[in-house]
Amino acid sequence: MEHQIPPSPPHVLIFPLPLQGPIKCMLKLAELLCISGDIDVTFLNTQHNHRRLLQYTAVESRFSAYPQFRFQTVSDGLPDDHPRSTDRLGDLLKGLWTVTHPNFKEMLSSGSFDRPVTCVIADGALTFALDVAEEVGIPLIYFETISPCGLWTYFCVQKLIDAGEIPFQGDDLDAPIQSVPGMEDFLRRRDLPSFCRTTDLNDPIIQLAMGECRQVPRSRGLILNTFEELDRPVLSHLRSLCPNLYPVGPLHTHLVKKTRLEIESTPPQRASSDSLWQEDKSCITWLDKQPLRSVIYISIGSLAMMTMEQLVEFWHGLVNSGVQFLWVRRPNSIVGEDLAGQIEELLEATKERGCLVSWAPQEEVLAHPAIGGFLTHSGWNSTLESLMEGVPMVCWPYFVDQHVNSRFVSEVWKIGIDMKDTCDRVVIEKMIKDLMDVKGDEFRQSMDWLSKFARESLSVGGSSVCNLNRLIEDIRAMKV
Ligand SMILES: O=c1ccn([C@@H]2O[C@H](COP(=O)(O)OP(=O)(O)O[C@H]3O[C@H](CO)[C@@H](O)[C@H](O)[C@H]3O)[C@@H](O)[C@H]2O)c(=O)[nH]1
């Protein structure tokens, strides 16, 4: 009698851009794929980030619940003590293209994974991943963890150049933009992705964004961290170029079924932490002592930086507003240390009013009843996390998609105030007071409405769940 060899399960290789936001989203997706039961998953992290994840999170024990899951690492080409800060992002990009790219190619073509890879899910910015996957004949799906509204403006960069709208002629940043379909009524020059402010169209970041837009439509599909009801018009524009979209978000809110072992061995937790920095939980104890909606949370995410002068303006604005604050001052996030003395004086004078940490458990913070507002850099993950917890925002975007996101927050979704291109203590004071005392309720109402749609999209039969199920089915069908 002939023995049938059981078919091997589909095996997805997940390859994030080695940055906090993308890693967090893709780990969540990895977990959801593992839960589907019959898909093997390998998560390809850079060695540097993997070491940090192991150091600061319980990711290893969390994923030990899934026997079909593996971590694998690859070099990012930089020495371990390199700061990998935003002002040195060029080094990271160079390392990715000159070292990670050939290593990835070697890994995929020589079969260095313990099971054959049947599908690659890579970050949209890793443009080389599609060429490699095509060469070795493995289907690839891209995942753009930036906002869909930001991504749509990336897709329109060539159109903006052809229409003469970029590089900007003259210095009026309030001039309206006409070459981004669907955004003609509210988009100004200052709301375009930060790289559009360049006068040199050969700038590596604008070239990277344009390269991304050439590659993404050639892939098998595009995963987005949003839900249909939030981004319907933008998604319909994106579908004209990438017909196979999977809007599966907001990813951080998807329920993960816990195994019994996990439930028994860990106290109930709101969110799984996938931080690349040590979370300082003392801020939660501090928040527990503050009145309802009395605190503004300030964080500029994992990449944005500010100068000492800007920090001083923020501090004065905050203190003058009289609002209690929880401020994340991430290591390596300040440019120029010459005003350090002034900061220490300010700190001393205001320590009764605020709590300062170097990295916070952000999802837990935003869910805390004492939080009444969020002064944010408008990274896409922070925006979704704030929206889902009903926390209105003052937006101070730093770069890439954040300039578009903050415009959508204020003009389209009406859930916050856009403070881009301003860093003046008087304006900061006014915006914080407006957010906390005047407009907060109105913004919270819009957010209630949007987060209700989000929860529906994540329930049985909801759009994000259906899109996730379709993604899982498509991955199963790619089995070789
Ligand atoms: O003290 C902190 C600060 C942040 N976070 C988390 O870090 C993530 C930060 O992500 P995001 O808000 O998207 O900001 P960036 O880290 O700046 O993200 C990059 O990647 C995003 C897409 O993934 C883009 O939208 C951004 O523009 C880009 O800068 C969020 O999940 C936060 O919850 C913490 O846990 N603790």
Side-chain angles (χ1 to χ4, degrees):
M1 213 172 70
E2 250 184 63
H3 285 286
Q4 293 258 312
I5 303 169
S8 55
H11 177 200
V12 180
L13 177 68
I14 300 190
F15 189 14
L17 194 63
L19 300 172
Q20 175 73 81
I23 288 176
K24 222 175 139 177
C25 287
M26 293 225 184
L27 272 172
K28 188 68 190 206
L29 179 70
E31 204 164 2
L32 292 167
L33 294 181
C34 285
I35 289 166
S36 76
D38 63 345
I39 298 180
D40 289 353
V41 179
T42 298
F43 194 89
L44 186 59
N45 232 345
T46 60
Q47 283 140 7
H48 176 83
N49 284 334
H50 196 55
R51 191 184 46 69
R52 289 167 70 185
L53 258 192
L54 295 187
Q55 189 176 353
Y56 300 127
T57 73
V59 77
E60 223 175 6
S61 67
R62 192 165 105 238
F63 276 93
S64 67
Y66 310 111
Q68 76 277 37
F69 178 86
R70 307 266 191 285
F71 277 115
Q72 191 128 347
T73 58
V74 65
S75 169
D76 62 9
L78 298 176
D80 210 40
D81 60 357
H82 188 287
R84 292 165 176 80
S85 50
T86 313
D87 50 347
R88 310 272 300 271
L89 215 53
D91 298 349
L92 182 62
L93 292 177
K94 190 168 167 223
L96 283 172
W97 261 259
T98 56
V99 177
T100 315
H101 175 182
N103 282 349
F104 174 65
K105 187 171 170 180
E106 170 62 22
M107 287 168 108
L108 216 55
S109 50
S110 69
S112 38
F113 301 98
D114 59 350
R115 303 149 288 180
V117 174
T118 57
C119 170
V120 176
I121 295 181
D123 190 291
L126 297 171
T127 51
F128 61 77
L130 182 66
D131 299 330
V132 171
E134 280 180 347
E135 251 175 73
V136 295
I138 299 174
L140 178 141
I141 296 174
Y142 269 125
F143 185 171
E144 288 283 1
T145 68
I146 61 168
S147 63
C149 56
L151 181 65
W152 177 234
T153 61
Y154 287 23
F155 271 110
C156 296
V157 165
Q158 188 60 56
K159 206 187 275 249
L160 285 157
I161 295 171
D162 295 344
E165 292 203 275
I166 53 175
F168 303 155
Q169 305 297 317
D171 51 14
D172 178 13
L173 285 177
D174 287 320
I177 287 292
Q178 293 304 311
S179 304
V180 181
M183 300 188 192
E184 298 87 343
D185 291 345
F186 57 86
L187 208 69
R188 307 159 299 177
R189 284 178 178 167
R190 69 171 79 249
D191 306 317
L192 285 171
S194 54
F195 50 74
C196 293
R197 295 185 185 197
T198 183
T199 49
D200 172 15
L201 294 179
N202 291 318
D203 177 82
I205 303 293
I206 201 166
Q207 284 301 325
L208 178 66
M210 290 170 78
E212 203 167 326
C213 296
R214 281 191 295 273
Q215 294 291 74
V216 168
R218 293 179 40 231
S219 68
R220 290 288 184 98
L222 175 61
I223 303 168
L224 293 168
N225 188 13
T226 189
F227 51 104
E228 299 274 354
E229 296 74 8
L230 181 70
D231 274 321
R232 205 179 290 287
V234 165
L235 291 177
S236 104
H237 285 296
L238 286 171
R239 281 196 174 95
S240 67
L241 299 172
C242 312
N244 192 23
L245 288 190
Y246 304 98
V248 296
L251 271 169
H252 75 282
T253 325
H254 270 276
L255 282 179
V256 169
K257 285 183 229 149
K258 300 262 174 196
T259 62
R260 253 189 85 203
L261 187 70
E262 237 185 317
I263 291 167
E264 282 164 6
S265 62
T266 55
Q269 276 193 332
R270 278 214 78 267
S272 51
S273 140
D274 292 321
S275 286
L276 299 178
W277 286 266
Q278 178 74 55
E279 288 177 350
D280 184 343
K281 298 241 179 197
S282 67
C283 58
I284 301 292
T285 318
W286 181 83
L287 282 175
D288 288 343
K289 297 188 199 113
Q290 310 306 321
L292 182 73
R293 288 184 188 153
S294 62
V295 176
I296 185 151
Y297 170 58
I298 303 157
S299 163
I300 56 170
S302 69
L303 292 169
M305 302 184 76
M306 60 171 75
T307 62
M308 269 292 178
E309 288 82 353
Q310 288 171 329
L311 194 146
V312 170
E313 288 304 304
F314 267 110
W315 212 284
H316 280 293
L318 252 179
V319 170
N320 296 342
S321 75
V323 174
Q324 304 274 84
F325 58 87
L326 164 57
W327 190 329
V328 177
R329 211 173 116 196
R330 194 189 76 238
N332 290 326
S333 63
I334 310 294
V335 189
E337 294 290 331
D338 31 331
L339 292 171
Q342 266 193 55
I343 290 298
E344 298 324 316
E345 267 172 44
L346 282 170
L347 258 177
E348 190 53 33
T350 55
K351 67 175 183 222
E352 298 302 314
R353 269 227 252 117
C355 176
L356 193 77
V357 292
S358 58
W359 193 253
Q362 180 165 306
E363 290 183 47
E364 213 176 327
V365 164
L366 288 170
H368 198 286
I371 295 292
F374 183 10
L375 202 162
T376 171
H377 69 307
S378 297
W380 187 231
N381 297 291
S382 294
T383 306
L384 286 175
E385 289 160 15
S386 205
L387 163 69
M388 291 308 289
E389 295 300 343
V391 178
M393 291 163 260
V394 172
C395 304
W396 190 67
Y398 176 73
F399 74 164
V400 290
D401 60 327
Q402 299 157 17
H403 287 71
V404 191
N405 304 348
S406 58
R407 189 64 170 166
F408 268 65
V409 162
S410 72
E411 296 303 304
V412 179
W413 302 314
K414 302 195 188 301
I415 55 177
I417 303 170
D418 190 358
M419 198 180 73
K420 66 166 61 87
D421 298 323
T422 314
C423 195
D424 171 279
R425 63 187 73 181
V426 177
V427 177
I428 294 165
E429 176 189 344
K430 180 175 177 341
M431 297 223 169
I432 291 175
K433 282 182 173 161
D434 271 1
L435 189 80
M436 300 297 279
D437 305 333
V438 187
K439 298 191 179 137
D441 285 340
E442 183 190 320
F443 294 149
R444 266 186 287 273
Q445 253 180 22
S446 312
M447 279 193 273
D448 280 355
W449 183 247
L450 291 170
S451 58
K452 182 176 138 302
F453 282 123
R455 273 186 289 277
E456 279 171 16
S457 79
L458 297 174
S459 58
V460 180
S463 61
S464 290
V465 168
C466 290
N467 287 326
L468 179 67
N469 289 338
R470 186 165 52 83
L471 172 68
I472 290 170
E473 285 311 316
D474 290 350
I475 290 171
R476 286 184 181 133
M478 285 169 190
K479 219 177 82 170
V480 281

